[in-house]
Amino acid sequence: MTDFWDTIAAIASARGEASVGIVRISGASARKIAEAVFRRPSGRPVKRWSSRRSVLYGLAVHPKDGRELDEVLLLWMPGPRSYTGEDVVEFQVHGGSRVLEGVLEAILVAGCRLAEPGEFTKRAFLNGRMDLSQAEGVMDLIRAKTDLASQAALRQVRGGLRENVVGLRRRLLRLEAHVEVTIDYPEHEVEDEARDLVVKECEALGREVTQIVDSSHLGQILRDGIGTAILGRPNVGKSSLMNRLLRRERAIVTEIPGTTRDVLEEYVSIEGIPFRIIDTAGIRDTEDVVEQIGVERSREVMEDAEVVILIMNAGEPLGPEDEELLRATRAKPRLVLLNKVDLGIHVDVKELESALGGDSWIAVSLKTGEGVDAFLSELVRIAVGEEHPMLESSFATNARQTNYLREALEDLNLARFAALEGATLDIIAVQLQSAYAALGQVIGEEVGEDLLDEIFSQFCLGK
Ligand code: GDP
């Protein structure tokens, strides 16, 4: 591995034409490099660098031949109060790819190396500018596809999850200290008191960890979207629904080809919640026999789906295919749309309701828009249920963090059971320590170098 403490540089802005592009440098030689590639409008280098953040206007030049590369703004952010904790220089240049590459090249020639993906943020973490949960939040923030997702990520970047976890660890440490002290005083009564305390505290701590884990389920939804399948026999309005969703709700990502099947996935944001719609509309076109609506295929699509929207034609009585689809979707949270109400309702509603066994149905016209608002609210309710208000306080926790939170929860439960069973305090103390360590992993204490490399390599270049 390259020496960690050397100076790094990278283009921090997106590729393509833009009014401004940014090249970022971080490390002990940042200032020296800036001296080599930056000139004041007078043509002279900067002599005195402020000990505080400052902005300078001038030219970027090539360190070898003094060739002028661009008019630039130089942002000087001396460590330790910079993003990375080191001296940081950012050049704001004109946002063309050739200009950016030229300035970066000049900077590299002046004596530093290209940063690895996520290396700036990794340094911020290693220099204690942020913990691991915050660093991971940065990545989620960059990738957020909806407002709610970016809010949850921002809460994490601002240390929301860290605060919670640090608080829990402090309480655990206090509890453990109490247990350890009691080990030295082996009177039974005192020991029983310590066990009672363990039971009570582990219960309370466990509740809080559970809350974070639950909210992290929402965080995951925010990040990945709720897999939603639109099913129904041909001509009931699947494409019409898709088009309506994509037209009225902001489409966030389009046309991600399905991995193994010929389905499309599109993200739409409904009430700020991303739905990953698995579009089966195309499937029909590949079927020769219309009657074979491919219940089998619908089943396959359903495997991926967390929620099913089943569309039926309100203008016709239920057919055998409808009934088959009703049966096939029974196990999933689902919502039935009786489409084409503008043509009247000819479905036997009683029969439908008995087949639905309590699941909701809504009459809509995807042509006139009737009932569509009610449908969208109901869809959100079915997808995130009563948790919805909790989105306000959820974090964008990822699978890694959730795993360690679950591990901590398990340890807390084991400690509590051990205490209830009257186990020795030594055994209880071990469980408490283990819970403490698991929580430490969430915020990146006790995390190994390999894992760090893996986490930060998922970042984009220049961050
Ligand atoms: P799909 O085969 O399930 O994808 O169904 P489509 O979305 O292609 O719709 C089939 C036909 O039904 C099209 O001609 C639509 O214009 C029509 N259609 C869809 N929704 C409505 C509706 O609410 N009312 C009426 N009258 N026609 C509709």
Side-chain angles (χ1 to χ4, degrees), residues 159-442:
L161 180 60
R162 180 187 63 183
E163 253 170 53
N164 271 296
V165 170
V166 167
L168 291 169
R169 287 185 102 208
R170 209 174 290 136
R171 277 165 60 187
L172 252 175
L173 204 59
R174 225 178 293 141
L175 181 62
E176 202 202 317
H178 185 95
V179 170
E180 297 283 355
V181 167
T182 313
I183 290 175
D184 299 335
Y185 297 90
E187 298 105 45
H188 281 309
E189 263 171 55
V190 185
E191 282 203 7
D192 279 345
E193 262 170 42
R195 281 193 199 93
D196 286 347
L197 187 67
V198 168
V199 172
K200 233 175 62 206
E201 264 296 271
C202 284
E203 227 165 56
L205 289 165
R207 259 198 306 276
E208 289 187 32
V209 176
T210 305
Q211 248 171 33
I212 302 179
V213 172
D214 285 351
S215 91
S216 78
H217 171 63
L218 291 164
Q220 200 170 338
I221 287 176
L222 289 177
R223 206 179 29 251
D224 304 335
I226 298 168
T228 309
I230 301 177
L231 302 180
R233 60 190 163 88
N235 276 317
V236 289
K238 295 185 295 298
S239 312
S240 306
L241 174 61
M242 197 69 188
N243 291 340
R244 202 167 252 284
L245 287 176
L246 293 178
R247 199 160 9 106
R248 67 172 274 162
E249 309 297 330
R250 192 160 39 106
I252 17 200
V253 176
T254 47
E255 303 227 336
I256 297 176
T259 42
T260 53
R261 314 171 198 109
D262 48 326
V263 293
L264 295 179
E265 290 184 352
E266 314 228 24
Y267 284 82
V268 291
S269 161
I270 300 171
E271 293 182 17
I273 297 168
F275 285 80
R276 182 169 49 84
I277 310 254
I278 310 161
D279 186 7
T280 58
I283 286 179
R284 176 213 32 202
D285 302 336
T286 66
E287 300 282 332
D288 295 335
V289 188
V290 168
E291 280 84 88
Q292 285 182 4
I293 47 161
V295 172
E296 266 321 299
R297 294 230 100 158
S298 301
R299 283 212 176 93
E300 277 180 31
V301 168
M302 260 172 33
E303 276 173 27
D304 274 2
E306 287 155 88
V307 177
V308 171
I309 302 170
L310 181 51
I311 310 186
M312 301 189 163
N313 190 341
E316 295 168 10
L318 292 184
E321 299 154 323
D322 294 319
E323 280 159 13
E324 213 170 331
L325 282 167
L326 277 168
R327 268 194 301 277
T329 55
R330 209 164 28 197
K332 295 265 176 179
R334 63 179 170 178
L335 174 56
V336 166
L337 285 190
L338 283 187
N339 186 31
K340 311 196 189 184
V341 278
D342 53 301
L343 303 178
I345 297 190
H346 298 286
V347 165
D348 184 342
V349 170
K350 277 224 174 67
E351 187 192 341
L352 174 68
E353 282 184 341
S354 84
L356 275 174
D359 292 343
S360 343
W361 64 274
I362 287 185
V364 298
S365 168
L366 293 170
K367 189 172 177 187
T368 66
E370 184 186 341
V372 171
D373 283 332
F375 151 64
L376 293 177
S377 328
E378 183 64 7
L379 179 64
V380 168
R381 196 190 65 76
I382 288 172
V384 293
E386 309 311 325
E387 295 173 312
H388 193 187
M390 268 177 64
L391 288 170
E392 306 286 302
S393 61
S394 74
F395 305 110
T397 46
N398 56 32
R400 189 194 68 80
Q401 295 163 350
T402 313
N403 276 344
Y404 285 116
L405 287 167
R406 291 224 163 87
E407 212 172 277
L409 194 58
E410 214 164 281
D411 291 329
L412 286 169
N413 281 333
L414 286 173
R416 191 168 63 89
F417 282 132
L420 279 171
E421 301 276 310
T424 66
L425 292 180
D426 290 317
I427 289 178
I428 293 170
V430 169
Q431 294 299 348
L432 295 177
Q433 280 157 16
S434 177
Y436 184 81
L439 287 176
Q441 298 268 10
V442 175

